[in-house]
Amino acid sequence: MSLNIIAPDDPALKVLENSISKQPDLDVKLTLIPWSKYRDAMMQTLKEDLATNQALFIPGHIWLPELAEAGYLAELEPLLSTLPASILKEYDMDDIMPTITDECRYNNKTYQLPFFTDGHILFYDPNVIEFDNDTEVPIVSTKEIYKLASKAHNPPHIYGLALKADESEIFTDFLPYMWEEGGYIFDKNNLPYIDNDANITALQRYCELQKFCPTDTNTYGNDKIANTLKKGKVALVANWGGQSAPIFLDEKNPCKYKTALFEAPWNATWGVAIPKNQPVTIKQQTLSRLMQLLNKESDKQVTLIAGSPVRKSSYCIDELVKYPWLSAQKQMLKRAKILPKNPKLGLFLGNLYEMAHKAFTKKLSPKEALKTAQKEAMKHY
């Protein structure tokens, strides 16, 4: 049986391509799909009578609850119980970081094997920003960022801050501010309550920070933030841990930044899931091959290509010494919060990005934007 895997076109997938090339006997083909088209391609596979792709990548808790609740994904526990002990031992599930293991589960059932993470890491220029504490990884309150950015702000030589405030990224960029303020998306009855006072206060504070940013920071997505870091024109910026390696290991542009963390960073874990719409024997073979591909060696390659491995063994002392961002990445995984594992969140998540961006670009006030988001969310209840 030939195993077909689909995934979004992320640089970290180069690791999987290499792993596949080193194990041709597994007969695996990886197809990379542009992010803008990936969701549709994934749903097409999941809705087929018989899946034409035997495995696919999903962004952990963001899509997993929705897809698992709909019955699209295979539970891994029944499949794991049928695999040879040698494969289970070699893969070593106990080596996965605990918070990542939890994210791969929904209602106490495992639905994906983790591959790499994307969580908030703060990059700061130690020449213009100093922290009083002597901890290895400084912890920064979002309530301190205004003061830090204001003190460092000296354009055009250097900007105090850059925010990943493009509409495609702004809501996750805002989450550490929301969580530290005590904000939330669902109330105690698991109903949307987006326009709560804490969320409004946090969004107001986030929007006020743009005075210390490049004027076009409302268009900054992943690529522009990465380019800003490479140019060294910003004193403080939050970026994904999964982009740390190309920034720190770029020999042409030596990185002058050090790393810190939000009090409550957000993280999402990309992993491989198996569509339910295929015979049990196919699902067993798929899981067996995936576990052989996603081994300890490939996880260390994730460190080199992306910067955000998922295994405890990839955060050993030798690795922490070798890679200057890895201590922050490890601590981020311990501190990280995730979005609520609510299967309906995906139905209105896109609107949260849109409304946050409208507040940031002053098309609506933060209060108006979140009230609009609340109304949109309640249409699904």
Side-chain angles (χ1 to χ4, degrees), residues 155-195:
H157 174 64
I158 192 166
Y159 291 89
L161 187 66
L163 295 171
K164 197 180 289 189
D166 182 75
E167 186 176 329
S168 65
E169 297 285 340
I170 189 169
F171 183 67
T172 47
D173 201 54
F174 159 68
L175 280 176
Y177 300 81
M178 186 185 87
W179 279 328
E180 191 179 340
E181 189 63 35
Y184 49 90
I185 298 173
F186 295 95
D187 63 16
K188 293 179 180 179
N189 297 316
N190 223 18
L191 291 173
Y193 185 14
I194 298 162
D195 57 340

Side-chain angles (χ1 to χ4, degrees), residues 271-288:
V272 195
I274 299 174
K276 192 175 182 180
N277 53 342
Q278 47 190 336
V280 172
T281 54
I282 299 297
K283 289 184 279 191
Q284 291 169 338
Q285 292 176 49
T286 297
L287 183 57
S288 173

Side-chain angles (χ1 to χ4, degrees), residues 172-242:
T172 47
D173 201 54
F174 159 68
L175 280 176
Y177 300 81
M178 186 185 87
W179 279 328
E180 191 179 340
E181 189 63 35
Y184 49 90
I185 298 173
F186 295 95
D187 63 16
K188 293 179 180 179
N189 297 316
N190 223 18
L191 291 173
Y193 185 14
I194 298 162
D195 57 340
N196 61 73
D197 289 343
N199 287 1
I200 294 170
T201 298
L203 187 55
Q204 287 172 337
R205 185 186 311 119
Y206 180 86
C207 291
E208 288 170 359
L209 293 173
Q210 61 184 299
K211 68 178 69 174
F212 306 118
C213 299
T215 55
D216 59 344
T217 198
N218 64 296
T219 68
Y220 278 29
N222 289 327
D223 291 341
K224 285 190 176 181
I225 283 288
N227 288 334
T228 298
L229 285 167
K230 289 180 179 180
K231 292 177 181 177
K233 291 289 188 179
V234 176
L236 182 67
V237 60
N239 197 27
W240 300 132

Side-chain angles (χ1 to χ4, degrees), residues 185-375:
I185 298 173
F186 295 95
D187 63 16
K188 293 179 180 179
N189 297 316
N190 223 18
L191 291 173
Y193 185 14
I194 298 162
D195 57 340
N196 61 73
D197 289 343
N199 287 1
I200 294 170
T201 298
L203 187 55
Q204 287 172 337
R205 185 186 311 119
Y206 180 86
C207 291
E208 288 170 359
L209 293 173
Q210 61 184 299
K211 68 178 69 174
F212 306 118
C213 299
T215 55
D216 59 344
T217 198
N218 64 296
T219 68
Y220 278 29
N222 289 327
D223 291 341
K224 285 190 176 181
I225 283 288
N227 288 334
T228 298
L229 285 167
K230 289 180 179 180
K231 292 177 181 177
K233 291 289 188 179
V234 176
L236 182 67
V237 60
N239 197 27
W240 300 132
Q243 290 190 342
S244 296
I247 292 169
F248 275 95
L249 302 181
D250 186 351
E251 295 180 357
K252 295 180 181 178
N253 295 288
C255 182
K256 68 177 183 179
Y257 291 93
K258 290 188 176 181
T259 52
L261 291 176
F262 287 120
E263 288 191 1
W266 175 77
N267 178 66
T269 299
W270 278 92
V272 195
I274 299 174
K276 192 175 182 180
N277 53 342
Q278 47 190 336
V280 172
T281 54
I282 299 297
K283 289 184 279 191
Q284 291 169 338
Q285 292 176 49
T286 297
L287 183 57
S288 173
R289 297 185 201 183
L290 289 173
M291 295 181 84
Q292 292 174 75
L293 290 169
L294 306 184
N295 53 32
K296 294 183 180 184
E297 180 56 35
S298 71
D299 196 54
K300 283 185 169 58
Q301 291 301 309
V302 168
T303 305
L304 280 170
I305 300 297
S308 52
V310 300
R311 291 178 173 273
K312 299 173 189 175
S313 57
S314 294
Y315 293 92
C316 66
I317 294 297
D318 288 346
E319 297 290 287
L320 293 176
V321 170
K322 195 183 304 182
Y323 303 112
W325 71 90
L326 209 54
S327 291
Q329 169 70 20
K330 181 180 180 181
Q331 293 301 317
M332 182 276 294
L333 291 176
K334 292 181 177 180
R335 300 181 72 93
K337 294 188 65 173
I338 61 174
L339 291 165
K341 291 185 178 182
N342 187 306
K344 286 195 174 184
L345 176 59
L347 300 176
F348 58 87
L349 185 59
N351 186 253
L352 296 179
Y353 284 83
E354 180 184 355
M355 290 302 110
H357 196 259
K358 285 190 174 182
F360 193 82
T361 53
K362 297 181 172 60
K363 294 176 181 176
L364 294 172
S365 71
K367 186 174 182 178
E368 291 169 337
L370 293 181
K371 282 190 174 297
T372 302
Q374 172 67 14
K375 290 179 181 178

